[in-house]
Amino acid sequence: MKELEGENILAIELPADESYLKFVVSAPESSEYSTLNARFFNSNGLKVEVEFLTLHLNLLWDSDDNSVTLGEFEYVDLVDGGYLISGDFGQVMVRCNSCSPNI
């Protein structure tokens, strides 16, 4: 997950069945891919519980590569019962037992 910190968020996805929360993030320049996924889910297939602590959905212009994104993916902390995800979009608490890539 550390390799995604500071990278731009291109999409945030929570499907209707609430099986996962996914952030599509631009890949670091050293990567062979253009995007990477940060995915939060329960290994037993149960729904995730998502709580938006703060939410700021804005399109931001990135002058480094002349693109528009949802801002930076700042960090993920493992907390009791899940993960605290922070970025320019705000803060999200996801109650689940797994993430990919692992932290």
Side-chain angles (χ1 to χ4, degrees), residues 9-24 37-42 45-52 55 57 70 85 89 92-96:
I9 300 167
L10 305 174
I12 301 171
E13 180 181 328
L14 176 65
D17 67 2
E18 299 176 5
S19 57
Y20 62 86
L21 175 66
K22 178 173 74 173
F23 292 82
V24 179
N37 295 330
R39 191 168 166 267
F40 301 87
F41 58 97
N42 282 310
L46 293 175
K47 293 180 179 184
V48 298
E49 183 182 330
V50 178
E51 179 182 355
F52 289 93
L55 183 62
L57 291 181
L70 294 171
I85 307 162
F89 60 88
V92 179
M93 175 65 194
V94 183
R95 288 179 180 80
C96 63

Side-chain angles (χ1 to χ4, degrees), residues 23-40:
F23 292 82
V24 179
V25 181
S26 60
E29 289 182 17
S30 60
S31 175
E32 62 186 271
Y33 303 103
S34 60
T35 63
L36 296 172
N37 295 330
R39 191 168 166 267
F40 301 87

Side-chain angles (χ1 to χ4, degrees), residues 29-91:
E29 289 182 17
S30 60
S31 175
E32 62 186 271
Y33 303 103
S34 60
T35 63
L36 296 172
N37 295 330
R39 191 168 166 267
F40 301 87
F41 58 97
N42 282 310
S43 58
N44 59 7
L46 293 175
K47 293 180 179 184
V48 298
E49 183 182 330
V50 178
E51 179 182 355
F52 289 93
L53 303 175
T54 60
L55 183 62
H56 308 284
L57 291 181
N58 299 299
L59 293 177
L60 301 173
W61 180 62
D62 184 348
S63 60
D64 291 338
D65 62 2
N66 199 28
S67 66
V68 177
T69 70
L70 294 171
E72 287 184 359
F73 190 83
E74 292 175 5
Y75 63 87
V76 176
D77 284 331
L78 182 60
V79 295
D80 189 33
Y83 302 88
L84 179 63
I85 307 162
S86 296
D88 289 333
F89 60 88
Q91 280 193 318

